[in-house]
Amino acid sequence: MGSPTWTPGALPAWKATIFLLHIISAAVAKRHIVYWNSTNTRLTAGDLSIQVNLNDYLDIYCPHYPNKGTLGPGQPETLALYLTTEASFQGCVETRGAIKRWECNTPYAQFGPVRFSEKIQRFTPFSLGFEFLPGHHYYYSSLPTDEGPPLSCMKLRVTVCCETTSMGSKHTQETRSSHSPLRTPSLPLLLLLLLLILLLTA
């Protein structure tokens, strides 16, 4: 039998498979949206808690103001977000162990509120990335920047599902509907995936 012919420019099957898996993974990943400003009463009350899965995204939207004419008392809000320990989370203070994740310092951004995205992953190749473990809680809090007005303490707890028990089963943490609805894969994206599958198997 003759060896299979290879067409220049054709993608090897294993590379195409990996590429397709990456696309599918991105399509099914959920995005958890939090608008981080003092009008979010769940943040200021300190009882906002969300559950995520590995490979999900946490999207933080900074305070935003279309123009200076729309400012109210105590605005514009500018702040820094930290990943803290549980003890620091209770008091909403910066400590030596706190990790600064982002700064919301462009309240008049031209194209809308600045978004920071945290990918919930167990391993990260990036030095500025953070690694999350299933069954653990992570705590975000914010402090006003020097140039901004004083702000209320705003806090968020993130729970990564799920912790594996010794019996091999998974304990699913309670899901709380305290954040924006999750986005699901759009129909055009699913059609694109189907087209890719058909092209690769043709």
Side-chain angles (χ1 to χ4, degrees):
M1 295 181 62
S3 59
T5 59
W6 179 80
T7 304
L11 195 63
W14 67 271
K15 287 187 177 181
T17 302
I18 293 176
F19 177 69
L20 185 59
L21 288 175
H22 277 292
I23 294 179
I24 294 174
S25 175
V28 300
K30 296 177 181 177
R31 306 196 79 98
H32 305 260
I33 301 172
V34 176
Y35 290 90
W36 200 284
N37 59 69
S38 61
T39 64
N40 189 336
T41 56
R42 299 298 301 276
L43 282 175
T44 55
D47 64 351
L48 180 53
S49 179
I50 64 176
Q51 177 183 281
V52 299
N53 294 306
L54 290 177
N55 296 319
D56 283 358
Y57 289 86
L58 173 64
D59 291 334
I60 302 289
Y61 284 85
C62 292
H64 181 258
Y65 309 89
N67 56 70
K68 294 183 179 181
T70 61
L71 295 181
Q75 296 177 343
E77 298 178 2
T78 56
L79 49 89
L81 282 98
Y82 294 86
L83 195 57
T84 70
T85 63
E86 184 175 9
S88 302
F89 178 77
Q90 301 303 324
C92 206
V93 294
E94 183 178 1
T95 63
R96 182 176 299 178
I99 303 172
K100 181 186 284 188
R101 299 303 291 144
W102 312 288
E103 278 196 16
C104 291
N105 53 13
T106 52
Y108 305 112
Q110 182 178 1
F111 299 106
V114 174
R115 183 189 74 180
F116 295 106
S117 294
E118 186 96 88
K119 184 173 183 180
I120 310 302
Q121 54 188 346
R122 191 158 188 170
F123 306 102
T124 175
F126 305 107
S127 59
L128 297 179
F130 192 81
E131 297 178 349
F132 296 84
L133 297 176
H136 286 65
H137 302 295
Y138 298 88
Y139 304 89
Y140 292 84
S141 63
S142 64
L143 293 172
T145 59
D146 294 337
E147 62 272 14
L151 296 174
S152 302
C153 180
M154 291 179 273
K155 301 185 290 186
L156 167 69
R157 186 179 78 163
V158 174
T159 300
V160 181
C161 181
C162 295
E163 183 177 12
T164 303
T165 67
S166 58
M167 298 298 293
S169 61
K170 290 185 176 180
H171 173 66
T172 304
Q173 305 289 340
E174 179 184 3
T175 301
R176 301 181 60 181
S177 58
S178 57
H179 59 291
S180 300
L182 305 182
R183 298 177 183 174
T184 55
S186 62
L187 181 59
L189 183 57
L190 293 177
L191 292 176
L192 176 61
L193 293 176
L194 180 60
L195 179 61
L196 285 173
I197 293 174
L198 293 175
L199 290 175
L200 292 174
T201 56

